[in-house]
Amino acid sequence: MTNAPVNVHDIDWDLNWTPAGEPRKPWDQMPAEDADDQLALSRALGETLSEQEYLATDRAGQPLRIVLLKVVPEAHQDADLGAVYEFAL
């Protein structure tokens, strides 16, 4: 893993581009250790509805670990359905 921050995107958005064709900015960034802790806490608290993990590369060929986290709506008392964590490897 690198020291690069983990980008966290809202799972409800098109992650790659805005409607204007600009790269979409993440709604949060954090150290990889914090991101892994958040994922573990969600599982421990029973908030995780489903979790999928993928290894991929970005357009420049850099390896990524992508985690899709779907949470139960009651976990946050709103319509938030989850997040996508993008780890640089």
Side-chain angles (χ1 to χ4, degrees):
M1 259 211 240
T2 69
N3 288 330
V6 173
N7 293 321
V8 183
H9 300 272
D10 189 320
I11 203 164
D12 297 326
W13 288 93
D14 172 5
L15 298 180
N16 296 321
W17 308 102
T18 66
E22 300 290 323
R24 189 171 301 284
K25 293 184 176 157
W27 59 263
D28 198 3
Q29 288 186 321
M30 65 190 68
E33 184 176 336
D34 291 352
D36 279 325
D37 287 347
Q38 280 191 7
L39 291 166
L41 182 61
S42 179
R43 287 189 297 271
L45 294 175
E47 296 179 352
T48 301
L49 183 61
S50 69
E51 186 176 331
Q52 298 173 344
E53 186 170 325
Y54 302 93
L55 295 178
T57 58
D58 65 13
R59 291 179 184 230
Q62 299 301 311
L64 300 172
R65 173 182 160 220
I66 306 294
V67 179
L68 306 177
L69 175 68
K70 297 284 281 180
V71 296
V72 294
E74 297 81 15
H76 299 285
Q77 302 297 317
D78 61 21
D80 181 26
L81 295 177
V84 177
Y85 291 77
E86 180 184 272
F87 295 78
L89 299 178

